[in-house]
Amino acid sequence: MHQVFLTDNLFDSLQSLPNKDLGRVFKTIQQIKKNPSNPGLKLHRIVESPDDHFWTVRVSNDARIVLYKKENLILICHADKHDEAYEWAKRRRVSSDTKSNSAKIVSLDEYETKKRKKPPFFKQNNNVDVKDNKAEELAKEPELLFKDHKDEEFLNIGFDAPELSLIRTISSEEDLHSLEPSFSESKFDKLISLYLDIEPQDESFESFEDNEETQNELIEFTDTQDIKSALSQPWEQWLIFLSYAQKKLVKANFKGSSKVFGSAGTGKTVVALHRAKFLIEKQKIDKVALFTFSRVLTQDLKIKADLLLGDSSKSRASLHIDYLEGEAGRIFNQHYGNRFKLTGDYTTHNTLKSIYEKLELQNDFTLEFVISEYENVIGPWNLYEFKDYKNFPRKGRGTPLTASQREKLSRCYMMLKKQLLDEGKVSTFDLYHMASDILSKTSERYSSIVIDEAQDLGPHMLRFVRSLTDKKHNDIMFCGDTGQSLYYRNHSWLQHGIDIRGKSSNLYINYRTSKQIKDYAEVLNEDILELTDKQVENRKSISTFNGPKPEIKSFNNQNEEIQGLVEWIKSKIKQGIDLHEIIVLSREVSDLKPFATKLKENNISCWELDASSNFIYNEVGLATVRRVKGLEYRCVAIVNCNEDQFPSEKELAKIGDISDEDDFLIREINLLYVAMTRARDNLYISHTGPSSMYLDNIEDYSKKGN
């Protein structure tokens, strides 16, 4: 019985085929799956290929499918015109890694070129003035990536002498990536760690025992519709193969909870989805839940889960997907019915202001401080009563409080909670706390939970997550990136009964964002280092592909900036980029309106992405930066990147505690980082007048020729 799988290479190759042949490709793939030995398929071995397991299958007079056939395994690798298909196979082989149980298609042209030691870039010519700077620059040998690493370092971690010789030729990230097929996945992972100067991770977990069911990580498509769905979404290429580092985490057997963190684009969501699939299908765990931070991200996850598991499959039915606030609301409403309505920050803060004035606290505290204390201490930790608040350590808060001051504040916050409940309202903090209390008295639990975008979980959320499942092996996996944290966070997860010590792993290979965009975004780390003396989590990663240099545009007035955006979008449309692959971001919703008006005047359809929006695939998106956290687009434009927007002067004025300013500025840097790293290929940043101070280092970096 043959197993037939599609590779990510196939998806790339289909882009060059005309539509009339695509349908025939789908039909032929189904015929292969049904009976690979059918003589009607007209299989021909490609004798000129260095790998004798490559065959072609006739699709039409002009088109062929290339497949790899070995024993009972068939990989459908490539589809192209007749001559091009044969030429492709002549330059390819399949490299296997027994440790990671994976296979890769290797381009021999690139592989052989990179294997050879590179000659000097420049050979001295008597007619060239050696004093000329450019000549001197060219005459220099390329700087090798691992020149500071001794041979013993590589030999001690498992590399052999021939591999070491190859490593000594690497002079760029591009070289490093091109040589990936030359090493096993585990060794390549070690090379990445050495290059990024990352300490080996303390992994006190083991893999589930490999068996026939857990070994194959390829996705088997069941019908033509599955194939068509996969081809319609570029992201789905990620669902075919997992990297060695990702696969290791998906299959890991953790003693309790675990954490998977990595910078933007390193595949955390991919790990989250595959982890859920693995637990359901391979470990036979029922009642698995996948949670994220927002309603928009929930929609995105559901689309991807439908494709990965099959929207009508038993596996998909076993996976519950929601955003945490929605889950808390569901549990709350089941218990209380419709007695209470969730209230937002605006109403809560206004109510708190009226109580503050009623109690005449103006002589003791500023209103900004009272709100800040509620948002960062009282609400997250459920400290309304004085007995709970009296001796609470208030870690990270810069304004000391006496017992009498705490008593006054406690009276204010108790009145707030009572007034909201009397009015049939409940704050977001209380929604989580009350939902946690409900769960503590019931047996409703999930068997296992996976959390995406976990970096912004506050104490109230972590308490709720902990209450959703019992403590046991593989109970919770958290996936996130502290570099994308947009909310106040100063607490230990251990305080909430979540122990991830020795079970934390980082991903360092960026699959989504071009090297150029990634490098620009990582410059922001310099601003963070200036604000804190704390150890900053390593944001470094390496990108798997190159793209155009990001554009930063300065304009004299907003009309010019708006017109500049219109011209940029038109240029992308001319390049064949679809409207839904473009998003325009700003700090505030109101800032987007004049841009939307001008786009429509130029017959460019656009829509505003909000919490309740369904995804629209034929229009340019408009959104605030916070709204697109966790999403990705081919082209991203960030407008109004002005000095009063990043950081926000309006938000800065609301700071109520002396310790809050640096934390606020770090979150503002993270906000711009999130915006920039939503882009895959093209990034455009514009401002009117003086730019955000965070662009200073980026523009300096750009001027240096980067």
Side-chain angles (χ1 to χ4, degrees), residues 44-49 56 64 66 78 80-91:
H44 291 279
R45 188 189 299 273
I46 305 175
V47 295
E48 299 92 341
S49 173
T56 63
R64 296 291 186 272
V66 179
H78 191 78
D80 212 330
K81 295 177 182 177
H82 178 281
D83 293 348
E84 286 81 355
Y86 275 85
E87 285 300 315
W88 183 90
K90 290 176 186 177
R91 302 191 307 273

Side-chain angles (χ1 to χ4, degrees), residues 247-258:
K247 189 184 305 179
K248 188 166 57 174
L249 295 170
V250 166
K251 297 171 61 177
N253 186 17
F254 296 101
K255 295 179 180 178
S257 303
S258 59

Side-chain angles (χ1 to χ4, degrees), residues 257-261 381 395 451-459 461-463 465-466 471 476-482 485 488-501 503-504 537:
S257 303
S258 59
K259 184 181 83 168
V260 179
F261 271 40
W381 292 100
K395 184 181 178 182
I451 309 285
D452 196 25
E453 297 294 321
Q455 65 272 4
D456 284 321
L457 298 181
M461 296 176 179
L462 284 171
R463 182 193 174 199
V465 169
R466 180 68 280 172
K471 292 184 181 180
I476 311 170
M477 174 179 278
F478 298 91
C479 303
D481 174 16
T482 54
S485 180
Y488 181 87
R489 182 178 54 87
N490 197 352
H491 57 95
S492 166
W493 289 23
L494 197 59
Q495 291 173 273
H496 310 282
I498 299 171
D499 188 358
I500 55 175
R501 294 173 296 177
K503 296 167 291 183
S504 297
E537 186 170 286

